[in-house]
Amino acid sequence: MDSDSDSDGSHVSATPPRDHIPPPPPPPPLKPRARPTSSSRSSARTPAPKPQSHRLPNPSNLPSQDLTAMSIPSPLSTAPFHVRRPLDPPETVATIDSFQILPAGHFSKSASFSKLQRPSLNFENEESDLARSKSELKSETVERDGSAVKSTSSVKAARKNLNLIRANVALPPTKLRKSGGEGNFVRLNMNHNSYRRKFLSKSARKNSRSSGFKRFPKRRKGKFGAEIEAQMEGVFEEEGLVTESTKQKIMQESESRKFDSELVEAALSAVRNDASDVNLVKLLKLVYGYDLFRDRQLEAIRMVLAGKSTMLVLPTGAGKSLCYQIPSMILPGMTLVVSPLVALMIDQLKQLPPMINGGLLCSSQTWQETSETLRLLQEGSIKVLFVSPERFLNEDFMGIFSTDQLVSLVVIDEAHCLSEWSHNFRPSYTRLRASLFHVRLRVNCILAMTATATSTTLDAVMGALEIPSSNLIQKVPLRDNLQLFISMSHNRMKDLLMLLRSSPYSEVQSIIVYCKFQSETDLISRYLRDNNISAKSYHSGIPTKDRARIQELFCSNKIRVIVATVAFGMGLDKRDIGAIMHYSLPNSLEEYVQEIGRAGRDGRLSYCHLFYDDMTYFKLRSLAHSDGVDEYAVDKFLCQVFNNGTTSHGQVCSIMKESASRRFDMKEEVMLTILTHLELGEVQYLQLLPQLNVTCTLNFHQTQPVLLSDKDIVVAAILKKSEARQGQYVFDIPTVANSIGVTAAELTNHLQNLKLKGEITYETKDSAYCYVVVDVPEDICSLSANVTKWLSDIESCKVHKLDAMNGAAVFALNTCERTNGCSGTQHTWCLQRKIMDYFDKDYHCDIPSKMTQSSFLRADIKVFLQSNSQAKFTPRAVARILHGISSPAYPSMIWGRTHFWNMLMSRSFNSQNQGKIYEGGFPSCDGSSKGRTYELCRKRHCLVIYR
Ligand SMILES: Nc1ncnc2c1ncn2[C@@H]1O[C@H](COP(=O)(O)OP(=O)(O)OP(=O)(O)O)[C@@H](O)[C@H]1O
């Protein structure tokens, strides 16, 4: 599918001309950024930042190579996409370039609005429901690969977030924050927390001050210690009492707010009558304070208002959210936003303008929160509802839409997750099909949004959502205010430190350093702190509360450098991040583009440096195979799913996650991917049900079990199907439910009732995937072969993405002729070209020659098998151990101790043409590995299994 734009750049059509337009003159120089000095830091909130002179980097300070930052003609100018530049004249009255610097004050206006309208909802608390929410919470995790926050860990965030439902309730006056460059996210986030603080008594404030210092002890005396101290001082200063002049300001604000809401209503009805550009701009100005729409926003809004399903591909920070927020105010019904991460949903909810009542439904909410949201939903009080894709499994939720609940628009955020060929495939997203929305929600308009999608991914997404190719609005994935650098590094830690100390990085206030491993982030942040650079690490292993605190300190410029894994950044709208450093190679060009997209959201020139070393690439390449499975394992798994073909239509079954994961040596996400494929593939074999804890341990307290069973068929079935252990009855919930023809949910409701009457107490454990069998496959073997082929294609795609990233980096380092502005370590032009080629064509690249097989491989494997003759390995298990990849059955904790672990790190795991270290497609229909022997095939350098 063609996915690039018209030559005039106004729109992306299905059949765009591919000829490149002649390059326009080089763009005017962008505003450089300067790191505020201690005095300028305190004045960071002054309305208009003064332009600073741009200091070129000093080559003599640089670690490995010359880092000269030059103003270069961007390849974007010659690209098939039209890229608007900051000083280009606007195309229409209503459009400005996406990245112009905003006039000061705009944010503060909308931010103070949100703050004053913060609603207060009281959620009651019931213990029994807490237990239920905890179990739900365990079963529906939304985090993948450490990205952002686990749903489990978001409970508190979700509960604390009183913004769940916006009510137009007058709230107590608060101290107004002055406007600043932190962006909406920061202010809203700060507002949220500052509520609690502002009304503390003086003594409480004193306490909080001292405890604050305890939490952040001075590690060392000296510059950094003093810096931290000064920063902490800054935090507490903000907690001061509301002054008289502030009160006056609040009064004025609330007056003007009344006036504004009338104006907004008038603007809305004007747009409903005539959705002209002028009316839409008026609305934009009133609600957001912005004078003009950014490039492509107006186009997207018009499409949605016309009821046309649209695919919107705009770079990170380009303002996609506004493209559904504005229509949500205008359209009669509700807007449903599907988002992959709870943390992202919370951020988006916070960023809604005050006149849009928002709500959120996710697994980590308590039962009360959920039912309160559902009640408001039925009442029609929610205008924008954020949900996770898993929600569409829930019949109670779907049931709401069978009545008269009107949904006008469905928004799929991070829509690339829908495609298995994207860098971030989420099986639960595959449930999101056009038919689901058309039939069940009776909504025709779908807006799919992403910042990073290759043409293959776009094809898949638009196909699933039935978006016509003419409804694609797309911009090149990179902003042209980002300068890209890359250097080969043999001592990354030292090079990073040197770079941070040299210009232009030394002048940048906010920097993110991206690493691949959690341990790396801790190590590096400590190293930086020891070298007087204010830094903190951030990864999903850090408790949620601490993570939120670190993010807040970073967002309010109290920490200069965040050393983070991929868990940091999604949904982060800090506008003044001036540099992104990649300590490790990203897994794909999509990931690279997403992460560098965190920089320069204020439109200023920003710097992105990638440290390359080939050992990291080899390690990542091995890890890219960590989700892979053999046909042998898939076959055994499917036999279990269909109970060796003995299951029947309508039967409710379950698979315990933890034990199955170990038994089949398959990650839980992979099992879920297979189950989702069985539900949503060409033939529907099953229907997934919400995950639950399936093992129940029950105690009787009042009536004798036998007597109770006379009156209660559930109890009778439990007595029949359970095992008695020391007076307790242990049973499998789906088995009992099946035996009496009720659903597992009905059974647990019944148990809950008996518990409330004091008859029983019970506990559940063993989180499991539950499903109803729809069709039993006639030939499990051939189904296994198909599923394995599909999974191995996904695996190859992952590897291909990493290779493409590596290929682009290696090209810049070794092949780039350093023309068109590329020089020294500066490779903006050639990297942009590679990125655009990749998104446009999904270009292929060869595996580097270093990644060949060792001639000693055969001997290595033989020795390994001989020295572990007691264990029964699948070929993939051998490959994983030799490549240092932990798996459920062979965890690194145990197998990492052998000297075979990771010995083949720099060799290809499984490349088609250069030999394999294991045999992929061996026959395995008997489902047993007994009696197999392992041998090496001399010819193919692969491990084969003989029966
Ligand atoms: N027309 C506009 N003029 C000025 N600023 C705008 C405009 N539209 C959006 N913004 C601001 O741009 C910032 C980024 O917007 P938004 O979060 O919607 O970006 P996004 O495209 O969703 O990015 P990401 O993909 O990273 O989530 C926000 O602070 C938003 O208020």
Side-chain angles (χ1 to χ4, degrees):
M1 188 194 70
D2 297 330
S3 58
D4 47 1
S5 70
D6 290 349
S7 55
D8 72 0
S10 60
H11 182 64
V12 179
S13 70
T15 52
R18 288 200 171 265
D19 297 347
H20 287 188
I21 51 166
L30 289 153
K31 263 194 184 182
R33 73 179 57 249
R35 185 183 164 203
T37 55
S38 51
S39 58
S40 66
R41 207 180 292 153
S42 61
S43 62
R45 296 186 198 113
T46 48
K50 278 185 192 154
Q52 311 250 349
S53 64
H54 179 205
R55 275 174 52 193
L56 287 175
N58 177 0
S60 60
N61 290 340
L62 302 175
S64 311
Q65 295 177 42
D66 173 40
L67 292 168
T68 309
M70 292 171 68
S71 182
I72 51 150
S74 160
L76 301 176
S77 53
T78 55
F81 304 101
H82 176 82
V83 177
R84 296 181 54 79
R85 303 188 186 287
L87 301 181
D88 281 354
E91 265 178 76
T92 68
V93 254
T95 310
I96 55 161
D97 177 82
S98 320
F99 306 105
Q100 262 180 344
I101 299 165
L102 291 173
H106 283 170
F107 281 109
S108 61
K109 190 172 178 207
S110 62
S112 54
F113 234 106
S114 324
K115 184 166 58 182
L116 290 164
Q117 294 220 348
R118 196 149 315 275
S120 49
L121 270 184
N122 285 328
F123 294 120
E124 290 154 27
N125 202 9
E126 259 176 49
E127 255 195 300
S128 57
D129 295 315
L130 261 178
R132 181 176 155 174
S133 82
K134 268 186 202 156
S135 69
E136 265 182 22
L137 200 140
K138 271 191 184 167
S139 62
E140 207 184 292
T141 305
V142 286
E143 178 183 76
R144 260 182 77 81
D145 200 17
S147 47
V149 185
K150 276 187 180 168
S151 66
T152 45
S153 54
S154 312
V155 187
K156 281 202 180 140
R159 266 186 224 151
K160 265 201 228 164
N161 178 22
L162 299 179
N163 208 21
L164 284 182
I165 311 292
R166 275 154 197 268
N168 290 330
V169 195
L171 287 162
T174 59
K175 179 188 162 190
L176 284 176
R177 291 177 62 83
K178 289 171 213 154
S179 67
E182 324 107 308
N184 280 355
F185 176 84
V186 186
R187 244 184 313 272
L188 290 166
N189 205 10
M190 294 295 287
N191 291 344
H192 173 65
N193 290 312
S194 53
Y195 255 124
R196 247 180 322 111
R197 297 194 203 122
K198 284 192 178 98
F199 299 98
L200 292 176
S201 68
K202 250 187 180 172
S203 61
R205 277 205 312 282
K206 265 186 200 159
N207 289 341
S208 77
R209 184 184 282 245
S210 56
S211 67
F213 278 112
K214 264 182 213 149
R215 259 183 284 134
F216 293 88
K218 258 193 281 174
R219 278 181 61 79
R220 337 165 348 127
K221 288 212 166 179
K223 197 178 155 205
F224 179 52
E227 204 175 320
I228 283 279
E229 205 165 312
Q231 287 165 356
M232 299 316 298
E233 200 59 48
V235 176
F236 296 111
E237 267 167 22
E238 285 171 14
E239 294 171 359
L241 287 172
V242 181
T243 60
E244 268 313 303
S245 65
T246 322
K247 274 184 195 161
Q248 278 169 10
K249 266 193 212 164
I250 294 164
M251 299 284 281
Q252 285 163 8
E253 275 260 334
S254 68
E255 276 307 303
S256 70
R257 216 161 9 97
K258 258 189 243 158
F259 178 63
D260 276 0
S261 63
E262 281 161 22
L263 282 179
V264 171
E265 266 314 313
L268 276 173
S269 62
V271 175
R272 284 188 195 116
N273 287 336
D274 171 19
S276 65
D277 291 2
V278 176
N279 283 345
L280 282 166
V281 173
K282 265 190 203 158
L283 185 65
L284 174 79
K285 176 80 183 160
L286 273 171
V287 177
Y288 298 88
Y290 302 140
D291 290 318
L292 298 165
F293 280 103
R294 282 179 173 172
D295 197 14
R296 305 292 162 95
Q297 282 181 327
L298 199 52
E299 208 177 323
I301 292 168
R302 272 198 240 107
M303 292 279 275
V304 171
L305 291 179
K308 294 181 186 166
S309 288
T310 305
M311 179 81 230
L312 182 62
V313 188
L314 295 184
T316 48
K320 292 184 282 297
S321 319
L322 208 128
C323 302
Y324 71 79
Q325 288 176 1
I326 288 197
S328 76
M329 288 187 268
I330 301 164
L331 295 169
M334 192 185 68
T335 294
L336 195 63
V337 184
V338 187
S339 192
L341 296 167
V342 176
L344 209 59
M345 286 188 228
I346 294 171
D347 286 340
Q348 285 172 336
L349 186 63
K350 283 181 190 165
Q351 285 163 24
L352 283 181
M355 49 288 295
I356 303 179
N357 287 344
L360 180 145
L361 279 178
C362 66
S363 56
S364 52
Q365 283 172 305
T366 62
W367 182 79
Q368 289 93 338
E369 285 168 339
T370 306
S371 50
E372 176 63 9
T373 307
L374 292 176
R375 188 185 64 74
L376 287 163
L377 201 60
Q378 271 157 338
E379 245 177 50
S381 314
I382 293 179
K383 208 62 182 124
V384 175
L385 180 71
F386 295 91
V387 291
S388 61
E390 286 82 6
R391 197 49 47 183
F392 293 91
L393 270 178
N394 186 317
E395 274 308 312
D396 287 345
F397 172 71
M398 296 304 287
I400 301 170
F401 304 102
S402 59
T403 55
D404 13 273
Q405 178 62 53
L406 177 66
V407 180
S408 295
L409 172 65
V410 170
V411 180
I412 316 285
D413 197 11
E414 309 294 346
H416 56 264
C417 295
L418 222 142
S419 163
E420 61 265 59
W421 317 123
S422 77
H423 65 298
N424 197 5
F425 171 51
R426 290 280 308 272
S428 50
Y429 259 67
T430 37
R431 189 160 292 109
L432 311 178
R433 312 244 136 207
S435 53
L436 174 89
F437 302 123
H438 295 334
V439 178
R440 300 292 307 269
L441 307 190
R442 288 169 287 118
V443 56
N444 287 322
C445 188
I446 301 168
L447 173 65
M449 307 194 306
T450 179
T452 44
T454 62
S455 49
T456 317
T457 302
L458 278 182
D459 256 347
V461 175
M462 292 171 74
L465 298 175
E466 293 172 20
I467 298 174
S469 51
S470 54
N471 295 3
L472 170 66
I473 298 176
Q474 188 179 25
K475 249 188 99 174
V476 68
L478 277 173
R479 280 181 268 120
D480 54 0
N481 62 333
L482 302 179
Q483 288 206 336
L484 312 181
F485 297 81
I486 180 163
S487 62
M488 175 70 89
S489 178
H490 301 294
N491 188 341
R492 289 180 290 162
M493 204 115 103
K494 219 167 125 208
D495 288 351
L496 172 71
L497 180 65
M498 283 180 75
L499 209 59
L500 287 172
R501 282 177 169 167
S502 53
S503 181
Y505 301 92
S506 55
E507 291 140 34
V508 175
Q509 165 59 42
S510 281
I511 299 175
I512 305 178
V513 177
Y514 276 112
C515 301
K516 272 281 157 274
F517 309 103
Q518 294 185 354
S519 55
E520 252 176 9
T521 64
D522 295 333
L523 198 75
I524 295 162
S525 64
R526 202 172 315 127
Y527 175 73
L528 294 180
R529 282 199 301 275
D530 289 346
N531 284 283
N532 294 334
I533 290 179
S534 116
K536 279 259 169 210
S537 60
Y538 184 107
H539 53 77
S540 54
I542 295 175
T544 319
K545 206 175 77 197
D546 297 345
R547 268 194 315 213
R549 176 80 182 148
I550 294 166
Q551 179 163 326
E552 200 179 302
L553 287 173
F554 178 65
C555 287
S556 50
N557 291 339
K558 307 282 185 313
I559 295 174
R560 184 174 161 229
V561 180
I562 283 280
V563 187
T565 58
V566 65
F568 188 73
M570 267 255 207
L572 179 74
D573 188 27
K574 178 166 163 57
R575 294 170 60 82
D576 61 352
I577 295 173
I580 302 288
M581 318 285 245
H582 276 100
Y583 189 80
S584 314
L585 191 73
N587 278 320
S588 63
L589 282 163
E590 286 99 322
E591 193 178 300
Y592 180 60
V593 166
Q594 278 275 356
E595 288 172 352
I596 60 175
R598 298 288 136 217
R601 287 161 88 96
D602 54 7
R604 295 208 219 168
L605 190 64
S606 302
Y607 312 95
C608 310
H609 193 102
L610 166 61
F611 293 102
Y612 184 85
D613 78 321
D614 45 12
M615 288 317 278
T616 306
Y617 167 58
F618 298 146
K619 181 77 203 156
L620 292 177
R621 204 164 191 282
S622 292
L623 286 174
H625 291 278
S626 61
D627 284 353
V629 280
D630 292 326
E631 190 176 337
Y632 171 71
V634 173
D635 187 67
K636 285 191 86 174
F637 178 68
L638 291 187
C639 285
Q640 157 108 26
V641 170
F642 297 106
N643 202 8
N644 288 317
T646 60
T647 49
S648 53
H649 175 86
Q651 188 174 335
V652 178
C653 303
S654 64
I655 290 187
M656 282 181 218
K657 292 200 230 170
E658 219 178 291
S659 56
S661 170
R662 250 179 290 120
R663 195 164 353 123
F664 305 116
D665 197 14
M666 218 184 258
K667 284 188 182 171
E668 290 179 9
E669 303 94 88
V670 178
M671 293 193 289
L672 181 62
T673 304
I674 298 177
L675 291 172
T676 313
H677 187 69
L678 295 176
E679 181 187 24
L680 302 164
E682 268 168 38
V683 179
Q684 185 181 5
Y685 291 105
L686 49 87
Q687 188 201 338
L688 277 171
L689 301 171
Q691 296 165 25
L692 55 94
N693 288 354
V694 284
T695 307
C696 183
T697 307
L698 184 144
N699 289 295
F700 290 96
H701 293 292
Q702 285 177 11
T703 321
Q704 282 288 321
V706 184
L707 292 180
L708 195 59
S709 71
D710 287 342
K711 300 184 274 183
D712 192 318
I713 58 156
V714 172
V715 175
I718 290 171
L719 293 189
K720 230 191 231 167
K721 301 275 173 192
S722 62
E723 223 179 273
R725 286 185 209 154
Q726 294 157 354
Q728 293 183 317
Y729 294 78
V730 182
F731 62 93
D732 179 62
I733 293 177
T735 309
V736 172
N738 270 334
S739 71
I740 46 175
V742 296
T743 64
E746 282 164 345
L747 184 98
T748 38
N749 278 346
H750 189 79
L751 292 181
Q752 187 64 25
N753 283 337
L754 288 176
K755 186 181 167 185
L756 290 176
K757 286 182 195 156
E759 287 285 3
I760 61 162
T761 51
Y762 67 94
E763 270 174 16
T764 60
K765 61 172 186 181
D766 297 331
S767 174
Y769 298 116
C770 300
Y771 53 92
V772 185
V773 176
V774 175
D775 194 358
V776 183
E778 279 169 18
D779 180 1
I780 293 188
C781 275
S782 65
L783 181 62
S784 310
N786 288 340
V787 172
T788 311
K789 163 87 180 60
W790 179 68
L791 289 173
S792 100
D793 286 348
I794 296 177
E795 189 182 351
S796 314
C797 177
K798 237 178 166 179
V799 176
H800 157 68
K801 283 184 186 298
L802 177 66
D803 288 343
M805 177 69 239
N806 187 68
V810 170
F811 175 88
L813 286 167
N814 300 336
T815 318
C816 174
E817 287 172 352
R818 290 171 168 74
T819 51
N820 293 308
C822 292
S823 78
T825 56
Q826 144 92 278
H827 285 282
T828 311
W829 192 84
C830 72
L831 284 174
Q832 281 181 344
R833 282 226 89 83
K834 287 278 172 202
I835 289 167
M836 284 187 302
D837 277 357
Y838 172 79
F839 281 102
D840 192 23
K841 300 184 208 112
D842 266 355
Y843 85 111
H844 294 269
C845 63
D846 297 327
I847 296 161
S849 53
K850 260 192 176 178
M851 299 281 290
T852 51
Q853 296 298 333
S854 153
S855 51
F856 300 110
L857 181 62
R858 185 169 165 254
D860 290 340
I861 294 176
K862 215 167 184 173
V863 175
F864 171 76
L865 292 173
Q866 277 164 1
S867 50
N868 291 284
S869 54
Q870 78 293 350
K872 292 213 159 38
F873 301 100
T874 64
R876 184 175 283 266
V878 176
R880 277 185 179 143
I881 291 166
L882 297 181
H883 281 267
I885 303 171
S886 190
S887 71
Y890 303 96
S892 59
M893 283 244 292
I894 296 167
W895 290 88
R897 291 188 209 130
T898 76
H899 74 273
F900 294 99
W901 186 260
N902 213 8
M903 69 186 288
L904 298 182
M905 190 178 90
S906 58
R907 316 260 159 70
S908 173
F909 186 93
N910 173 21
S911 79
Q912 295 296 317
N913 305 321
Q914 297 174 40
K916 301 173 183 178
I917 67 163
Y918 71 96
E919 169 69 62
F922 62 96
S924 59
C925 283
D926 66 358
S928 143
S929 65
K930 272 187 201 143
R932 288 173 193 277
T933 56
Y934 304 93
E935 258 303 321
L936 282 160
C937 168
R938 280 164 196 272
K939 240 173 147 185
R940 296 169 59 200
H941 283 270
C942 65
L943 185 73
V944 288
I945 292 181
Y946 298 108
R947 282 167 195 276

